[in-house]
Amino acid sequence: MTEQRTRRSARFRLLLAAAAAPLLLGSCGVVAELPTTSMPSSFSAATSPEGHPMAVSAPAEATESKVVMPVYWLGLNGSDVQLYREFLPSKNTGDPIGEAVMTMTTATPSDDDYFTPWAPASRVTASISSKNVITVDISADAFKPSLDAGMAHRAVQQLVYTATAAAANAGLTTAGYNASVAVLVDGKAGYKAFGHEDLEGDLTRDKSMPAPIWIISPQAGDGTEASVTVTGSAVERDEPLFWSVERVVNGRPETSALKSGEIRLDAASGETAMFDIQIDLDPGEYSLRVFHGEGENEDSKRFTVY
């Protein structure tokens, strides 16, 4: 499993390098053609092996605290790129949806396994109707990276998920209506995002996009007490769902697990369920993994026990 994780990290670094190259070239004053970040336009079987992909409902995205906001990122899972979510600090600008979408284009994820293919937007504003139609007006400079059709679809869905999650988290949605997003670019409708995605009409969540396993808490970089409560969600599959914790020594997880176990989900095959586990650990830095079977689908987090 360690070898598979190493290969996964190497593939992710290559993909992230391609996505970040325009920013690096620009900062060095080098004029170069934007590289293409590639992803198949069809979605891999790893996303939904039983035909029932993970779908995150709005209640899972609401928090009691308004000092944090939900932001979606992309991350490599096997041979696919899928959606993951983090809760990041909010400045309470008065526009919670616009702030979350702006952060999606400008911030760095807490988890090194996640990334955003967007360029920093110079302007984002948002509003929401009584029927949960969210209008996001974003500047055209956010669409500078050159993406293929598959990655363009994922990027647009990243925006849709972030905007609808931010609306739910801020308590702006009206019961009885599904949330959708109308995207304007510099105040105009009908833009073709990244040269592939038509931003026509109201966009809704593509439920095949979220990754099948999420570790929700702890988030990457968190500090916790010795008794660590791990929460997350996962798709029930025919193969078992496992967790493991390794010590991090000199910046690298050890090859053998310090503690491990199996997670039982209260869900039918193909359905998504929440899980929580309790792990007692001594002070130190740790790497936590939750994965199906031999690690085809997984999420991981590094955290510190004080």
Side-chain angles (χ1 to χ4, degrees):
M1 294 181 212
T2 302
E3 182 181 353
Q4 184 170 11
R5 180 172 51 183
T6 302
R7 291 198 302 268
R8 174 175 175 266
S9 298
R11 289 196 303 271
F12 171 77
R13 286 193 296 270
L14 288 172
L15 184 61
L16 182 57
L23 301 180
L24 295 173
L25 291 173
S27 65
C28 297
V30 177
V31 178
E33 182 179 353
L34 293 175
T36 298
T37 302
S38 248
M39 201 66 227
S41 56
S42 60
F43 308 120
S44 76
T47 304
S48 176
E50 292 86 7
H52 299 283
M54 172 180 171
V56 181
S57 60
E61 291 163 329
T63 65
E64 294 181 1
S65 171
K66 299 309 176 187
V67 299
V68 295
M69 59 183 169
V71 176
Y72 278 80
W73 308 110
L74 297 180
L76 187 65
N77 181 36
S79 60
D80 205 350
V81 170
Q82 297 169 317
L83 287 172
Y84 295 86
R85 184 194 63 208
E86 291 183 325
F87 283 98
L88 301 181
S90 170
K91 296 179 181 178
N92 292 315
T93 62
D95 182 2
I97 303 172
E99 182 188 8
V101 173
M102 174 69 84
T103 301
M104 178 199 80
T105 73
T106 58
T108 301
S110 300
D111 194 321
D112 290 340
D113 289 340
Y114 304 159
F115 70 99
T116 182
W118 294 80
S122 57
R123 183 187 57 82
V124 179
T125 59
S127 61
I128 185 170
S129 75
S130 60
K131 294 186 178 180
N132 294 347
V133 178
I134 301 165
T135 300
V136 173
D137 190 350
I138 186 170
S139 53
D141 51 6
F143 298 88
K144 283 184 179 179
S146 178
L147 310 180
D148 72 356
M151 188 62 81
H153 180 71
R154 286 158 173 79
V156 171
Q157 281 297 310
Q158 182 189 0
L159 185 154
V160 171
Y161 269 82
T162 297
T164 51
N169 185 58
L172 298 177
T173 51
T174 305
Y177 296 96
N178 293 323
S180 60
V181 181
V183 181
L184 305 179
V185 179
D186 290 334
K188 299 178 181 179
Y191 191 81
K192 188 178 282 290
F194 305 105
H196 296 284
E197 286 282 295
D198 289 320
L199 302 181
E200 293 280 3
D202 298 339
L203 307 176
T204 57
R205 289 184 165 193
D206 179 344
K207 293 183 179 180
S208 70
M209 293 311 303
I213 298 174
W214 283 3
I215 298 172
I216 297 173
S217 179
Q219 292 195 152
D222 279 357
T224 75
E225 297 180 350
S227 183
V228 183
T229 300
V230 178
T231 62
S233 63
V235 174
E236 173 65 19
R237 295 180 50 161
D238 294 335
E239 56 186 342
L241 183 68
F242 296 111
W243 64 269
S244 69
V245 172
E246 296 94 26
R247 292 184 187 275
V248 175
V249 179
N250 296 324
R252 297 176 62 87
E254 293 184 333
T255 56
S256 58
L258 177 66
K259 294 188 177 183
S260 61
E262 184 174 345
I263 299 172
R264 303 285 185 175
L265 297 176
D266 185 15
S269 181
E271 294 183 351
T272 301
M274 299 293 293
F275 65 80
D276 64 83
I277 54 178
Q278 203 77 24
I279 309 171
D280 293 326
L281 296 168
D282 293 330
E285 187 179 0
Y286 296 92
S287 176
L288 166 70
R289 296 174 60 229
V290 177
F291 53 96
H292 280 127
E294 294 299 317
E296 176 186 352
N297 296 305
E298 70 169 70
D299 194 15
S300 62
K301 293 288 182 285
R302 287 195 186 189
F303 61 93
T304 301
V305 174
Y306 295 126

